[in-house]
Amino acid sequence: MKKYHALSLFSVLFLLVPCTTLIDVSAKTTTYNYFPTDNGPIDTSYSGIVTTIGNKPFLTLYTFNNNQFSLIRNRAVAPKTAWFYDQTVSRNGEIYYRIATNEWIRFDELEGFSGHHNRKHFEKKTITIRIGPVLPAPVFDGKLNDTGKTLAVGSEWIAFEKPAYLGDNAYYQIGKDEFVAGERVINLH
């Protein structure tokens, strides 16, 4: 017991002595980068949900062709809405998230996003769905409440490959807690 007390007393005294020497410490770290390399290839290693900012009446969308972005003039995204993204790319210092088939939104028009690394064994595959046949398709939340949003006839959306079964019917998830009825989907690819 006396050795223990002597060791404890030595430890306390050692801790009370101020440290005047700086010590360099290095450690190996791993950085998970949610942002793609500027002017690099399309990054599919992350996917998740992005939420648009709320201080604009609408948010612009872009197409990505021949390695550059062009403004889409006849479509926009509503403020304060959540969208599933499955690809990111950076061009000339601007970061873009793909939220629909060849429809991208810039990082500066987002106020929040959550993402995860797409590990092959946990990956949810995505498909493109086309809405039909005559009327816009209503969007429901996971409790089958109508969100008030609709998807235009003929529009294409990114959805999880396997439908979710809510009640007795199949629904495709197109965003965070956003689903469209499988009966409204006319084309999967």
Side-chain angles (χ1 to χ4, degrees), residues 134-152:
V134 179
L135 299 173
V139 176
F140 300 96
D141 67 15
K143 295 179 182 174
L144 293 180
N145 297 316
D146 191 336
T147 64
K149 300 174 189 176
T150 59
L151 305 180

Side-chain angles (χ1 to χ4, degrees), residues 13-168:
L13 289 174
F14 181 73
L15 291 174
L16 294 176
V17 175
C19 180
T20 58
T21 307
L22 295 175
I23 300 171
D24 288 329
V25 177
S26 64
K28 183 178 178 183
T29 60
T30 302
T31 302
Y32 292 101
N33 187 2
Y34 282 98
F35 304 109
T37 304
D38 194 27
N39 296 321
I42 292 174
D43 186 356
T44 60
S45 60
Y46 290 91
S47 62
I49 304 294
V50 292
T51 306
T52 57
I53 58 176
N55 61 356
K56 288 184 172 182
F58 62 89
L59 299 134
T60 52
L61 290 170
Y62 298 86
T63 61
F64 188 59
N65 296 311
N66 299 322
N67 212 20
Q68 56 184 300
F69 283 95
S70 303
L71 180 67
I72 297 175
R73 299 190 185 279
N74 63 348
R75 290 179 47 85
V77 178
K80 290 282 194 187
T81 55
W83 300 86
F84 174 79
Y85 76 90
D86 66 343
Q87 296 178 6
T88 56
V89 70
S90 178
R91 287 295 175 269
N92 304 319
E94 298 287 344
I95 300 166
Y96 298 83
Y97 292 81
R98 187 175 90 147
I99 60 172
T101 304
N102 203 17
E103 291 184 351
W104 302 72
I105 190 164
R106 271 195 343 229
F107 179 74
D108 62 348
E109 295 197 307
L110 303 174
E111 67 179 14
F113 78 100
S114 63
H116 61 277
H117 193 272
N118 294 329
R119 295 177 188 98
K120 293 297 180 200
H121 58 285
F122 292 124
E123 185 177 7
K124 289 184 176 179
K125 292 183 180 178
T126 57
I127 57 171
T128 303
I129 60 173
R130 184 182 297 270
I131 303 302
V134 179
L135 299 173
V139 176
F140 300 96
D141 67 15
K143 295 179 182 174
L144 293 180
N145 297 316
D146 191 336
T147 64
K149 300 174 189 176
T150 59
L151 305 180
V153 173
S155 63
E156 292 184 337
W157 300 88
I158 301 295
F160 287 126
E161 179 181 47
K162 296 190 183 205
Y165 289 90
L166 306 173
D168 295 329

